[in-house]
Tab-separated table of all heavy atoms in Angstrom:
chain	number	residue	atom	x	y	z
A	368	GLY	N	17.945	0.596	-15.850
A	368	GLY	CA	18.204	0.782	-17.278
A	368	GLY	C	19.647	0.332	-17.630
A	368	GLY	O	19.843	-0.445	-18.569
A	371	ALA	N	19.851	-3.530	-17.134
A	371	ALA	CA	18.957	-4.335	-17.966
A	371	ALA	C	19.290	-4.166	-19.432
A	371	ALA	O	19.294	-5.150	-20.216
A	371	ALA	CB	17.519	-4.001	-17.687
A	372	TYR	N	19.564	-2.925	-19.903
A	372	TYR	CA	19.810	-2.766	-21.354
A	372	TYR	C	20.900	-1.764	-21.667
A	372	TYR	O	20.918	-1.081	-22.688
A	372	TYR	CB	18.493	-2.354	-22.109
A	372	TYR	CG	17.377	-1.864	-21.274
A	372	TYR	CD1	17.312	-0.512	-20.888
A	372	TYR	CD2	16.421	-2.726	-20.795
A	372	TYR	CE1	16.284	-0.079	-20.072
A	372	TYR	CE2	15.381	-2.289	-19.966
A	372	TYR	CZ	15.314	-0.960	-19.619
A	372	TYR	OH	14.314	-0.574	-18.754
A	373	SER	N	21.870	-1.714	-20.718
A	373	SER	CA	23.096	-0.921	-20.962
A	373	SER	C	22.856	0.512	-21.265
A	373	SER	O	23.687	1.167	-21.929
A	373	SER	CB	23.933	-1.554	-22.068
A	373	SER	OG	24.243	-2.886	-21.824
A	374	GLN	N	21.724	1.054	-20.882
A	374	GLN	CA	21.557	2.518	-21.009
A	374	GLN	C	20.694	3.083	-19.948
A	374	GLN	O	19.650	2.507	-19.566
A	374	GLN	CB	21.078	2.932	-22.403
A	374	GLN	CG	19.682	2.479	-22.798
A	374	GLN	CD	19.395	2.776	-24.253
A	374	GLN	OE1	19.896	2.139	-25.195
A	374	GLN	NE2	18.611	3.822	-24.488
A	438	THR	N	10.060	-0.340	-25.123
A	438	THR	CA	9.617	-1.075	-26.284
A	438	THR	C	10.569	-0.833	-27.477
A	438	THR	O	10.940	-1.772	-28.157
A	438	THR	CB	8.207	-0.646	-26.669
A	438	THR	OG1	7.345	-0.907	-25.560
A	438	THR	CG2	7.680	-1.376	-27.849
A	439	SER	N	10.941	0.446	-27.616
A	439	SER	CA	11.808	0.695	-28.796
A	439	SER	C	13.208	0.155	-28.574
A	439	SER	O	13.820	-0.341	-29.529
A	439	SER	CB	11.810	2.183	-29.138
A	439	SER	OG	12.365	2.898	-28.027
A	440	ILE	N	13.653	0.098	-27.313
A	440	ILE	CA	14.997	-0.527	-27.068
A	440	ILE	C	14.921	-2.004	-27.416
A	440	ILE	O	15.792	-2.584	-28.041
A	440	ILE	CB	15.378	-0.318	-25.572
A	440	ILE	CG1	15.618	1.148	-25.278
A	440	ILE	CG2	16.684	-1.119	-25.291
A	440	ILE	CD1	15.887	1.475	-23.806
A	441	ILE	N	13.851	-2.665	-26.964
A	441	ILE	CA	13.699	-4.114	-27.170
A	441	ILE	C	13.593	-4.349	-28.693
A	441	ILE	O	14.264	-5.266	-29.199
A	441	ILE	CB	12.471	-4.693	-26.452
A	441	ILE	CG1	12.542	-4.473	-24.956
A	441	ILE	CG2	12.324	-6.169	-26.755
A	441	ILE	CD1	11.287	-4.774	-24.212
A	442	ASP	N	12.786	-3.574	-29.347
A	442	ASP	CA	12.611	-3.764	-30.800
A	442	ASP	C	13.945	-3.723	-31.530
A	442	ASP	O	14.260	-4.589	-32.319
A	442	ASP	CB	11.714	-2.646	-31.388
A	442	ASP	CG	10.274	-2.995	-31.220
A	442	ASP	OD1	9.969	-4.204	-31.006
A	442	ASP	OD2	9.396	-2.073	-31.281
A	443	ARG	N	14.711	-2.654	-31.234
A	443	ARG	CA	15.990	-2.520	-31.930
A	443	ARG	C	16.881	-3.706	-31.693
A	443	ARG	O	17.412	-4.296	-32.612
A	443	ARG	CB	16.683	-1.245	-31.461
A	443	ARG	CG	16.263	0.008	-32.202
A	443	ARG	CD	17.337	1.104	-32.110
A	443	ARG	NE	17.700	1.379	-30.716
A	443	ARG	CZ	17.038	2.252	-29.926
A	443	ARG	NH1	15.959	2.861	-30.390
A	443	ARG	NH2	17.387	2.477	-28.707
A	444	ARG	N	17.005	-4.103	-30.426
A	444	ARG	CA	17.901	-5.209	-30.064
A	444	ARG	C	17.378	-6.508	-30.672
A	444	ARG	O	18.164	-7.281	-31.260
A	444	ARG	CB	17.982	-5.321	-28.560
A	444	ARG	CG	18.983	-6.332	-28.013
A	444	ARG	CD	20.385	-5.783	-27.966
A	444	ARG	NE	20.621	-4.766	-26.969
A	444	ARG	CZ	20.895	-4.991	-25.713
A	444	ARG	NH1	21.006	-6.237	-25.302
A	444	ARG	NH2	21.099	-3.987	-24.921
A	445	PHE	N	16.129	-6.770	-30.532
A	445	PHE	CA	15.538	-8.045	-30.962
A	445	PHE	C	15.674	-8.203	-32.476
A	445	PHE	O	16.108	-9.210	-32.982
A	445	PHE	CB	14.069	-8.165	-30.501
A	445	PHE	CG	13.497	-9.502	-30.689
A	445	PHE	CD1	13.711	-10.499	-29.751
A	445	PHE	CD2	12.663	-9.795	-31.781
A	445	PHE	CE1	13.188	-11.763	-29.881
A	445	PHE	CE2	12.157	-11.021	-31.938
A	445	PHE	CZ	12.380	-12.017	-30.976
A	446	ASN	N	15.295	-7.086	-33.169
A	446	ASN	CA	15.336	-7.186	-34.605
A	446	ASN	C	16.741	-7.332	-35.121
A	446	ASN	O	17.004	-8.115	-35.998
A	446	ASN	CB	14.680	-5.908	-35.244
A	446	ASN	CG	13.205	-5.921	-34.949
A	446	ASN	OD1	12.617	-6.936	-34.655
A	446	ASN	ND2	12.606	-4.713	-34.973
A	447	PHE	N	17.681	-6.634	-34.504
A	447	PHE	CA	19.038	-6.687	-34.953
A	447	PHE	C	19.565	-8.127	-34.794
A	447	PHE	O	20.199	-8.660	-35.687
A	447	PHE	CB	19.920	-5.723	-34.166
A	447	PHE	CG	21.369	-5.780	-34.595
A	447	PHE	CD1	21.769	-5.208	-35.800
A	447	PHE	CD2	22.329	-6.431	-33.808
A	447	PHE	CE1	23.054	-5.281	-36.231
A	447	PHE	CE2	23.614	-6.470	-34.253
A	447	PHE	CZ	24.020	-5.910	-35.467
A	448	PHE	N	19.337	-8.710	-33.623
A	448	PHE	CA	19.963	-10.022	-33.363
A	448	PHE	C	19.179	-11.139	-33.990
A	448	PHE	O	19.609	-12.270	-33.969
A	448	PHE	CB	20.182	-10.218	-31.876
A	448	PHE	CG	21.357	-9.379	-31.451
A	448	PHE	CD1	21.127	-8.168	-30.824
A	448	PHE	CD2	22.647	-9.762	-31.695
A	448	PHE	CE1	22.211	-7.367	-30.425
A	448	PHE	CE2	23.699	-8.971	-31.324
A	448	PHE	CZ	23.501	-7.780	-30.709
A	449	HIS	N	18.014	-10.878	-34.536
A	449	HIS	CA	17.327	-11.929	-35.246
A	449	HIS	C	17.271	-11.702	-36.726
A	449	HIS	O	16.677	-12.410	-37.488
A	449	HIS	CB	15.858	-12.043	-34.692
A	449	HIS	CG	15.848	-12.820	-33.413
A	449	HIS	ND1	16.189	-12.198	-32.193
A	449	HIS	CD2	15.567	-14.076	-33.094
A	449	HIS	CE1	16.094	-13.090	-31.248
A	449	HIS	NE2	15.701	-14.248	-31.721
A	450	SER	N	18.001	-10.649	-37.162
A	450	SER	CA	17.987	-10.368	-38.588
A	450	SER	C	19.013	-11.249	-39.347
A	450	SER	O	19.032	-11.273	-40.553
A	450	SER	CB	18.300	-8.879	-38.843
A	450	SER	OG	19.548	-8.611	-38.279
A	466	PRO	N	29.945	-5.765	-31.173
A	466	PRO	CA	29.952	-6.709	-30.103
A	466	PRO	C	28.525	-6.877	-29.503
A	466	PRO	O	27.716	-5.929	-29.485
A	466	PRO	CB	30.892	-6.105	-29.064
A	466	PRO	CG	30.934	-4.683	-29.414
A	466	PRO	CD	30.568	-4.512	-30.867
A	467	VAL	N	28.252	-8.100	-29.080
A	467	VAL	CA	26.964	-8.343	-28.426
A	467	VAL	C	26.993	-7.634	-27.078
A	467	VAL	O	27.904	-7.842	-26.315
A	467	VAL	CB	26.764	-9.872	-28.198
A	467	VAL	CG1	25.468	-10.120	-27.413
A	467	VAL	CG2	26.717	-10.589	-29.495
A	468	PRO	N	25.991	-6.769	-26.792
A	468	PRO	CA	25.989	-6.101	-25.483
A	468	PRO	C	25.791	-7.224	-24.386
A	468	PRO	O	25.030	-8.153	-24.606
A	468	PRO	CB	24.802	-5.213	-25.518
A	468	PRO	CG	24.250	-5.289	-26.834
A	468	PRO	CD	24.820	-6.429	-27.557
A	469	GLN	N	26.464	-7.044	-23.291
A	469	GLN	CA	26.286	-8.038	-22.244
A	469	GLN	C	25.436	-7.403	-21.151
A	469	GLN	O	25.891	-6.572	-20.325
A	469	GLN	CB	27.635	-8.496	-21.694
A	469	GLN	CG	28.434	-9.370	-22.662
A	469	GLN	CD	27.637	-10.619	-23.019
A	469	GLN	OE1	26.900	-11.162	-22.214
A	469	GLN	NE2	27.810	-11.124	-24.280
A	470	ASP	N	24.150	-7.757	-21.153
A	470	ASP	CA	23.275	-7.189	-20.160
A	470	ASP	C	22.056	-8.164	-19.976
A	470	ASP	O	22.028	-9.218	-20.586
A	470	ASP	CB	22.825	-5.775	-20.500
A	470	ASP	CG	22.260	-5.680	-21.916
A	470	ASP	OD1	21.795	-6.712	-22.449
A	470	ASP	OD2	22.296	-4.595	-22.537
A	471	MET	N	21.111	-7.737	-19.174
A	471	MET	CA	20.000	-8.626	-18.882
A	471	MET	C	19.150	-8.885	-20.139
A	471	MET	O	18.725	-9.981	-20.398
A	471	MET	CB	19.127	-8.013	-17.775
A	471	MET	CG	19.851	-7.968	-16.472
A	471	MET	SD	18.797	-7.267	-15.213
A	471	MET	CE	18.107	-8.719	-14.509
A	472	LEU	N	18.945	-7.803	-20.915
A	472	LEU	CA	18.114	-7.964	-22.129
A	472	LEU	C	18.715	-9.047	-23.031
A	472	LEU	O	18.000	-9.899	-23.571
A	472	LEU	CB	17.988	-6.635	-22.840
A	472	LEU	CG	17.100	-6.598	-24.090
A	472	LEU	CD1	15.748	-7.130	-23.863
A	472	LEU	CD2	17.076	-5.172	-24.662
A	473	GLN	N	20.025	-8.969	-23.228
A	473	GLN	CA	20.688	-9.908	-24.102
A	473	GLN	C	20.605	-11.349	-23.511
A	473	GLN	O	20.433	-12.294	-24.271
A	473	GLN	CB	22.180	-9.518	-24.284
A	473	GLN	CG	22.797	-10.142	-25.518
A	473	GLN	CD	22.007	-9.860	-26.761
A	473	GLN	OE1	21.495	-8.728	-26.942
A	473	GLN	NE2	21.811	-10.841	-27.615
A	474	SER	N	20.697	-11.393	-22.214
A	474	SER	CA	20.580	-12.716	-21.589
A	474	SER	C	19.200	-13.266	-21.779
A	474	SER	O	19.042	-14.469	-22.140
A	474	SER	CB	20.900	-12.559	-20.060
A	474	SER	OG	20.635	-13.772	-19.411
A	476	ILE	N	17.217	-12.671	-24.264
A	476	ILE	CA	17.106	-13.068	-25.692
A	476	ILE	C	17.817	-14.394	-25.897
A	476	ILE	O	17.263	-15.307	-26.482
A	476	ILE	CB	17.635	-11.952	-26.613
A	476	ILE	CG1	16.794	-10.684	-26.533
A	476	ILE	CG2	17.753	-12.457	-28.072
A	476	ILE	CD1	17.379	-9.495	-27.314
A	482	ARG	N	9.628	-12.299	-28.452
A	482	ARG	CA	9.479	-10.811	-28.420
A	482	ARG	C	8.361	-10.398	-27.395
A	482	ARG	O	8.652	-9.549	-26.568
A	482	ARG	CB	9.176	-10.327	-29.873
A	482	ARG	CG	8.917	-8.840	-29.992
A	482	ARG	CD	10.120	-8.025	-29.572
A	482	ARG	NE	9.850	-6.629	-29.512
A	482	ARG	CZ	9.271	-6.004	-28.454
A	482	ARG	NH1	8.898	-6.724	-27.421
A	482	ARG	NH2	9.085	-4.695	-28.484
A	485	LEU	N	9.609	-10.880	-23.854
A	485	LEU	CA	10.591	-9.874	-23.495
A	485	LEU	C	9.910	-8.616	-22.971
A	485	LEU	O	10.303	-8.048	-21.925
A	485	LEU	CB	11.442	-9.470	-24.699
A	485	LEU	CG	12.602	-10.388	-25.132
A	485	LEU	CD1	13.169	-9.862	-26.392
A	485	LEU	CD2	13.656	-10.423	-24.022
Side-chain angles (χ1 to χ4, degrees):
Y372 16 85
S373 305
Q374 65 186 75
T438 301
S439 62
I440 295 173
I441 301 170
D442 275 342
R443 273 202 306 276
R444 186 83 68 86
F445 190 81
N446 293 339
F447 179 74
F448 287 99
H449 283 77
S450 58
V467 176
Q469 289 302 328
D470 52 24
M471 294 179 93
L472 180 56
Q473 199 55 40
S474 173
I476 294 174
R482 176 64 188 81
L485 280 173

